[in-house]
């Protein structure tokens, strides 16, 4: 998922998601797109990455809380 458009209001299912670091509630929302239909043959995987030292469009505090929760 590359934009916030996919975070809410879209009924899609993925086996694997790559998500840039964000506030925890946004990451949890992305997790809701993993294996929605229960048809994955392997364990669904969410990979969270930090693109650079910028946290835009989120506040640094929101991103730091997510990082402290091992995302």
């Amino acid at each position: 998922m590359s934009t916030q458009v996919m975070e809410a209001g879209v009924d899609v299912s993925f086996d694997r998601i790559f998500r840039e670091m964000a506030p925890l509630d946004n990451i949890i929302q992305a997790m809701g797109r993993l294996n929605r239909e229960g048809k994955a043959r392997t364990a669904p995987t969410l990979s969270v990455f930090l693109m650079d030292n910028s946290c835009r469009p989120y506040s640094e505090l929101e991103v730091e809380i997510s990082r402290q929760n091992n995302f």
Side-chain angles (χ1 to χ4, degrees):
M1 297 201 283
S2 61
T3 67
Q4 292 175 313
V5 171
M6 295 295 289
E7 286 183 359
V10 179
D11 187 19
V12 293
S13 181
F14 300 100
D15 293 341
R16 178 139 199 176
I17 295 176
F18 294 89
R19 175 65 164 95
E20 187 172 5
M21 180 62 70
L24 192 54
D25 58 331
N26 296 82
I27 293 171
I28 292 169
Q29 185 73 37
M31 290 171 66
R33 304 294 178 251
L34 285 170
N35 196 27
R36 288 177 71 97
E37 299 167 4
K39 296 179 181 178
R41 290 190 233 176
T42 60
T45 305
L46 172 70
S47 298
V48 178
F49 61 91
L50 188 58
M51 186 67 109
D52 57 25
N53 290 330
S54 169
C55 58
R56 289 182 221 125
Y58 310 108
S59 76
E60 288 182 38
L61 178 59
E62 290 175 310
V63 171
E64 184 57 32
I65 290 169
S66 294
R67 290 179 76 180
Q68 289 174 5
N69 285 286
N70 296 317
F71 280 106

